[in-house]
């Protein structure tokens, strides 16, 4: 994948994907905040963000085919 040109500033596509994944993560975390994980919340949120990033990246790959 290539970079995006925003008024002469090249922005990596992975940075845009990470920002979009963060917004998806925030929406998903509202749904999962009610789960009682007994000390595993940090690890769960990290994994949830990585899954969101994977899904957003897959969408970008499918769009750019």
């Amino acid at each position: 994948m290539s970079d995006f040109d925003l008024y002469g500033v090249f922005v990596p596509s992975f940075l845009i994907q990470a920002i979009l994944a963060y917004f998806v993560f925030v929406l998903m975390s509202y749904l999962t905040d009610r789960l009682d994980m007994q000390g595993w919340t940090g690890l769960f949120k990290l994994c949830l963000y990585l899954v969101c990033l994977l899904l957003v990246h897959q969408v970008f790959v499918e769009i750019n085919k």
Side-chain angles (χ1 to χ4, degrees), residues 9-24:
V9 176
F10 291 103
V11 179
S13 63
F14 193 69
L15 177 63
I16 295 172
Q17 293 173 15
I19 292 169
L20 288 175
Y22 178 74
F23 290 126
V24 172

Side-chain angles (χ1 to χ4, degrees), residues 1-42:
M1 287 199 257
S2 63
D3 298 335
F4 294 102
D5 184 16
L6 296 174
Y7 301 107
V9 176
F10 291 103
V11 179
S13 63
F14 193 69
L15 177 63
I16 295 172
Q17 293 173 15
I19 292 169
L20 288 175
Y22 178 74
F23 290 126
V24 172
F25 166 73
V26 168
L27 292 174
M28 292 291 293
S29 67
Y30 284 128
L31 299 173
T32 59
D33 279 344
R34 296 176 188 231
L35 296 175
D36 183 28
M37 290 179 259
Q38 299 173 358
W40 290 91
T41 56

Side-chain angles (χ1 to χ4, degrees), residues 31-59:
L31 299 173
T32 59
D33 279 344
R34 296 176 188 231
L35 296 175
D36 183 28
M37 290 179 259
Q38 299 173 358
W40 290 91
T41 56
L43 182 61
F44 178 77
K45 288 188 176 193
L46 174 66
C47 292
L48 182 63
Y49 176 73
L50 290 176
V51 167
C52 292
L53 184 59
L54 175 72
L55 293 174
V56 169
H57 179 71
Q58 188 64 32
V59 169

